[in-house]
């Protein structure tokens, strides 16, 4: 989770930014840039949370939730959880790289963040196109086409 101090700093970093993707990218860059410099602190945090095996164990999920909140996310349906799970996956992957690669520099971190955000964007575009096929299909739409069995 983000501290109140971190939240204030990060909130200032995204002031005036309208794109949610850009906000998330900025938040990831700023948070992970700081964590990249403090690898030992991150290792300790992860070890402590694994040992406790409690709510704090999900600190990556909580961190992603804090980032979505700062980015202005107001979703309340399943998107609330899917956004956080996807961002948690990105954070986990990047933390893994930070903690395991000896030569992981800020420049590579920024490229990896951009790459991950781009992948999510491509996936969401494909998902939207796929779902729109079903919305427009008479098989799944009760008001269009002929009545099919079960409707």
């Amino acid at each position: 989770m983000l501290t109140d101090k971190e939240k204030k700093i990060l909130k200032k970093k995204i002031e005036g930014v309208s794109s949610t993707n850009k906000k998330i990218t900025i938040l990831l860059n700023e948070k992970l840039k700081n964590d990249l410099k403090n690898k030992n602190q991150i290792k300790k945090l992860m070890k402590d949370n694994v040992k406790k095996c409690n709510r704090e164990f999900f600190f990556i999920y909580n961190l992603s939730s804090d980032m979505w909140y700062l980015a202005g996310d107001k979703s309340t349906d399943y998107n609330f959880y899917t956004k956080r799970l996807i961002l948690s996956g990105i954070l986990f992957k990047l933390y893994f790289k930070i903690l395991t690669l000896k030569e992981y520099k800020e420049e590579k971190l920024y490229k990896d963040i951009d790459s991950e955000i781009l992948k999510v964007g491509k996936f969401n575009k494909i998902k939207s196109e796929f779902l729109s096929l079903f919305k427009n299909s008479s098989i799944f739409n009760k008001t269009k086409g002929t009545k099919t069995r079960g409707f």
Side-chain angles (χ1 to χ4, degrees), residues 19-146:
S19 165
T20 304
N21 275 354
K22 187 66 179 168
K23 286 179 185 178
I24 292 295
T25 301
I26 292 167
L27 293 169
L28 282 169
N29 280 324
E30 292 299 318
K31 174 65 176 143
L32 293 175
K33 176 179 68 173
N34 184 40
D35 291 346
L36 184 61
K37 294 174 186 172
N38 300 305
K39 285 184 181 185
N40 290 333
Q41 183 179 349
I42 298 304
K43 284 180 185 177
K44 183 182 180 327
L45 179 66
M46 286 186 155
K47 276 185 183 178
D48 291 348
N49 283 301
V50 168
K51 286 178 185 175
K52 289 179 185 175
C53 253
N54 62 16
R55 225 175 79 107
E56 292 177 24
F57 177 71
F58 299 102
F59 80 96
I60 289 180
Y61 178 86
N62 292 331
L63 175 60
S64 68
S65 187
D66 285 348
M67 287 184 178
W68 273 113
Y69 175 76
L70 287 171
D73 180 50
K74 296 187 183 351
S75 60
T76 56
D77 57 358
Y78 73 95
N79 283 321
F80 177 89
Y81 299 101
T82 58
K83 288 177 181 180
R84 281 146 181 84
L85 288 172
I86 290 168
L87 188 55
S88 292
I90 292 171
L91 281 164
F92 183 80
K93 186 176 187 177
L94 295 170
Y95 274 128
F96 185 77
K97 285 184 174 185
I98 287 171
L99 294 174
T100 58
L101 299 176
K102 286 186 179 186
E103 293 295 320
Y104 194 65
K105 306 278 186 203
E106 274 185 45
E107 299 80 33
K108 180 67 175 148
L109 174 66
Y110 296 153
K111 286 179 185 177
D112 285 346
I113 289 170
D114 288 340
S115 172
E116 291 297 321
I117 297 294
L118 188 63
K119 286 178 195 175
V120 171
K122 285 180 184 178
F123 172 76
N124 284 336
K125 184 177 179 185
I126 292 168
K127 181 182 79 172
S128 292
E129 290 171 1
F130 181 75
L131 290 175
S132 71
L133 290 172
F134 288 112
K135 285 182 182 176
N136 296 327
S137 172
S138 62
I139 295 170
F140 296 100
N141 192 332
K142 291 181 186 178
T143 60
K144 284 188 176 180
T146 61

